[in-house]
PDB file of all heavy atoms in Angstrom:
ATOM      1  N   LYS Y  94     -24.948 148.466-198.273  1.00 76.00           N
ATOM      2  CA  LYS Y  94     -25.874 148.242-199.357  1.00 76.00           C
ATOM      3  C   LYS Y  94     -27.015 147.461-198.868  1.00 76.00           C
ATOM      4  O   LYS Y  94     -26.884 146.498-198.128  1.00 76.00           O
ATOM      5  CB  LYS Y  94     -25.063 147.420-200.370  1.00 76.00           C
ATOM      6  CG  LYS Y  94     -25.973 146.926-201.609  1.00 76.00           C
ATOM      7  CD  LYS Y  94     -26.407 148.082-202.451  1.00 76.00           C
ATOM      8  CE  LYS Y  94     -27.183 147.498-203.590  1.00 76.00           C
ATOM      9  NZ  LYS Y  94     -28.333 148.315-203.909  1.00 76.00           N
ATOM     10  N   VAL Y  95     -28.202 147.794-199.294  1.00 81.00           N
ATOM     11  CA  VAL Y  95     -29.437 147.026-199.011  1.00 81.00           C
ATOM     12  C   VAL Y  95     -29.929 146.436-200.289  1.00 81.00           C
ATOM     13  O   VAL Y  95     -30.297 147.175-201.218  1.00 81.00           O
ATOM     14  CB  VAL Y  95     -30.503 147.861-198.323  1.00 81.00           C
ATOM     15  CG1 VAL Y  95     -31.724 147.070-198.044  1.00 81.00           C
ATOM     16  CG2 VAL Y  95     -30.003 148.496-197.000  1.00 81.00           C
ATOM     17  N   ALA Y  96     -29.974 145.129-200.396  1.00 81.00           N
ATOM     18  CA  ALA Y  96     -30.490 144.475-201.605  1.00 81.00           C
ATOM     19  C   ALA Y  96     -31.966 144.276-201.492  1.00 81.00           C
ATOM     20  O   ALA Y  96     -32.441 143.858-200.480  1.00 81.00           O
ATOM     21  CB  ALA Y  96     -29.740 143.130-201.808  1.00 81.00           C
ATOM     22  N   LEU Y  97     -32.723 144.520-202.532  1.00 77.00           N
ATOM     23  CA  LEU Y  97     -34.127 144.316-202.596  1.00 77.00           C
ATOM     24  C   LEU Y  97     -34.306 143.090-203.495  1.00 77.00           C
ATOM     25  O   LEU Y  97     -33.860 143.052-204.660  1.00 77.00           O
ATOM     26  CB  LEU Y  97     -34.906 145.441-203.259  1.00 77.00           C
ATOM     27  CG  LEU Y  97     -35.113 146.653-202.350  1.00 77.00           C
ATOM     28  CD1 LEU Y  97     -33.987 147.620-202.406  1.00 77.00           C
ATOM     29  CD2 LEU Y  97     -36.389 147.336-202.736  1.00 77.00           C
ATOM     30  N   LEU Y  98     -34.968 142.061-202.917  1.00 76.00           N
ATOM     31  CA  LEU Y  98     -35.107 140.814-203.598  1.00 76.00           C
ATOM     32  C   LEU Y  98     -36.484 140.234-203.579  1.00 76.00           C
ATOM     33  O   LEU Y  98     -37.177 140.408-202.560  1.00 76.00           O
ATOM     34  CB  LEU Y  98     -34.155 139.750-202.987  1.00 76.00           C
ATOM     35  CG  LEU Y  98     -32.697 140.145-202.802  1.00 76.00           C
ATOM     36  CD1 LEU Y  98     -32.093 139.340-201.690  1.00 76.00           C
ATOM     37  CD2 LEU Y  98     -31.934 139.876-204.089  1.00 76.00           C
ATOM     38  N   VAL Y  99     -36.911 139.648-204.652  1.00 74.00           N
ATOM     39  CA  VAL Y  99     -38.161 138.858-204.628  1.00 74.00           C
ATOM     40  C   VAL Y  99     -37.783 137.401-204.858  1.00 74.00           C
ATOM     41  O   VAL Y  99     -37.089 137.093-205.762  1.00 74.00           O
ATOM     42  CB  VAL Y  99     -39.082 139.337-205.766  1.00 74.00           C
ATOM     43  CG1 VAL Y  99     -40.350 138.464-205.841  1.00 74.00           C
ATOM     44  CG2 VAL Y  99     -39.463 140.776-205.644  1.00 74.00           C
ATOM     45  N   TRP Y 100     -38.131 136.634-203.870  1.00 65.00           N
ATOM     46  CA  TRP Y 100     -37.679 135.203-203.842  1.00 65.00           C
ATOM     47  C   TRP Y 100     -38.950 134.391-203.661  1.00 65.00           C
ATOM     48  O   TRP Y 100     -39.224 133.947-202.584  1.00 65.00           O
ATOM     49  CB  TRP Y 100     -36.699 135.034-202.744  1.00 65.00           C
ATOM     50  CG  TRP Y 100     -35.851 133.848-202.815  1.00 65.00           C
ATOM     51  CD1 TRP Y 100     -35.979 132.678-202.146  1.00 65.00           C
ATOM     52  CD2 TRP Y 100     -34.659 133.708-203.660  1.00 65.00           C
ATOM     53  NE1 TRP Y 100     -35.024 131.772-202.505  1.00 65.00           N
ATOM     54  CE2 TRP Y 100     -34.183 132.432-203.396  1.00 65.00           C
ATOM     55  CE3 TRP Y 100     -33.926 134.538-204.507  1.00 65.00           C
ATOM     56  CZ2 TRP Y 100     -33.020 131.931-204.014  1.00 65.00           C
ATOM     57  CZ3 TRP Y 100     -32.870 134.077-205.080  1.00 65.00           C
ATOM     58  CH2 TRP Y 100     -32.366 132.782-204.841  1.00 65.00           C
ATOM     59  N   GLY Y 101     -39.762 134.271-204.768  1.00 61.00           N
ATOM     60  CA  GLY Y 101     -41.098 133.704-204.572  1.00 61.00           C
ATOM     61  C   GLY Y 101     -41.154 132.261-204.925  1.00 61.00           C
ATOM     62  O   GLY Y 101     -42.182 131.861-205.456  1.00 61.00           O
ATOM     63  N   ASN Y 102     -40.234 131.435-204.604  1.00 68.00           N
ATOM     64  CA  ASN Y 102     -40.373 129.967-204.994  1.00 68.00           C
ATOM     65  C   ASN Y 102     -40.804 129.039-203.888  1.00 68.00           C
ATOM     66  O   ASN Y 102     -40.876 127.916-204.105  1.00 68.00           O
ATOM     67  CB  ASN Y 102     -39.019 129.530-205.677  1.00 68.00           C
ATOM     68  CG  ASN Y 102     -37.915 129.527-204.723  1.00 68.00           C
ATOM     69  OD1 ASN Y 102     -37.980 130.042-203.617  1.00 68.00           O
ATOM     70  ND2 ASN Y 102     -36.769 128.953-205.106  1.00 68.00           N
ATOM     71  N   GLN Y 103     -40.950 129.568-202.664  1.00 80.00           N
ATOM     72  CA  GLN Y 103     -41.335 128.726-201.588  1.00 80.00           C
ATOM     73  C   GLN Y 103     -42.696 129.168-200.915  1.00 80.00           C
ATOM     74  O   GLN Y 103     -43.421 128.301-200.472  1.00 80.00           O
ATOM     75  CB  GLN Y 103     -40.253 128.673-200.512  1.00 80.00           C
ATOM     76  CG  GLN Y 103     -39.014 127.929-200.978  1.00 80.00           C
ATOM     77  CD  GLN Y 103     -38.077 127.794-199.854  1.00 80.00           C
ATOM     78  OE1 GLN Y 103     -38.304 128.141-198.675  1.00 80.00           O
ATOM     79  NE2 GLN Y 103     -36.904 127.270-200.163  1.00 80.00           N
ATOM     80  N   ILE Y 104     -42.831 130.465-200.772  1.00 85.00           N
ATOM     81  CA  ILE Y 104     -44.052 130.983-200.011  1.00 85.00           C
ATOM     82  C   ILE Y 104     -44.859 131.792-200.997  1.00 85.00           C
ATOM     83  O   ILE Y 104     -44.349 132.690-201.674  1.00 85.00           O
ATOM     84  CB  ILE Y 104     -43.585 131.860-198.853  1.00 85.00           C
ATOM     85  CG1 ILE Y 104     -42.772 131.018-197.868  1.00 85.00           C
ATOM     86  CG2 ILE Y 104     -44.749 132.471-198.181  1.00 85.00           C
ATOM     87  CD1 ILE Y 104     -42.102 131.776-196.793  1.00 85.00           C
ATOM     88  N   GLU Y 105     -46.178 131.450-201.075  1.00 87.00           N
ATOM     89  CA  GLU Y 105     -47.045 132.076-202.057  1.00 87.00           C
ATOM     90  C   GLU Y 105     -47.353 133.524-201.776  1.00 87.00           C
ATOM     91  O   GLU Y 105     -47.444 134.339-202.637  1.00 87.00           O
ATOM     92  CB  GLU Y 105     -48.354 131.332-202.125  1.00 87.00           C
ATOM     93  CG  GLU Y 105     -49.255 131.728-203.266  1.00 87.00           C
ATOM     94  CD  GLU Y 105     -50.352 130.742-203.506  1.00 87.00           C
ATOM     95  OE1 GLU Y 105     -50.743 129.939-202.618  1.00 87.00           O
ATOM     96  OE2 GLU Y 105     -50.939 130.851-204.557  1.00 87.00           O
TER      97      GLU Y 105
END
Side-chain angles (χ1 to χ4, degrees):
K94 172 69 177 142
V95 178
L97 281 89
L98 307 155
V99 176
W100 199 260
N102 64 350
Q103 291 185 5
I104 298 173
E105 188 168 19

